Amino acid sequence: IDNHVTLNCKDLSETFEKITFPSLNVATRSLHDFLTLCFNALNFVQWQYVDTEVEQLCKSIFTPNSWIYTTNVKEALTKACNLGMLRISCEKGIFVVSRSI
């Protein structure tokens, strides 16, 4: 009898560091716009908000004159999460955006 168990606790987010997020020119963007750009850069994942309250929050946070240098998707999503005090989890293969507090 083998008493060893192996767990693989990985999801698609482990690849986010390897995917380039292009630089963005200066513009006024909502947090929702920025999240949409981040997830569009992935083009192979589904995402959603945990509820309409979080969605409305992200649509109401605007960053005038926002821009970003070329980076990776992980770093871009980290910036988005910091701005909105959000967290992103993977549930049944779908990335879910929710509040971190």
Side-chain angles (χ1 to χ4, degrees):
I1 296 175
D2 190 358
N3 292 329
H4 296 276
V5 174
T6 302
L7 296 175
N8 180 356
C9 299
K10 296 181 180 181
D11 61 36
L12 291 173
S13 65
E14 72 177 356
T15 65
F16 290 3
E17 283 184 76
K18 299 173 186 167
I19 299 170
T20 300
F21 185 82
S23 63
L24 297 176
N25 293 330
V26 175
T28 297
R29 294 179 182 86
S30 70
L31 181 52
H32 171 77
D33 295 336
F34 190 66
L35 286 167
T36 300
L37 290 168
C38 289
F39 283 109
N40 284 347
L42 297 170
N43 79 26
F44 58 85
V45 301
Q46 293 179 313
W47 73 285
Q48 64 187 37
Y49 292 103
V50 69
D51 56 30
T52 56
E53 183 179 325
V54 174
E55 181 178 2
Q56 290 306 311
L57 171 75
C58 291
K59 288 181 176 179
S60 69
I61 296 174
F62 285 89
T63 53
N65 301 320
S66 69
W67 53 272
I68 191 170
Y69 290 122
T70 299
T71 186
N72 61 59
V73 173
K74 180 180 179 182
E75 183 65 29
L77 285 171
T78 298
K79 290 178 185 290
C81 287
N82 289 341
L83 175 63
M85 295 190 320
L86 304 172
R87 66 182 171 147
I88 300 172
S89 58
C90 186
E91 300 174 15
K92 297 180 183 176
I94 299 172
F95 288 90
V96 179
V97 178
S98 59
R99 292 297 307 261
S100 63
I101 54 171

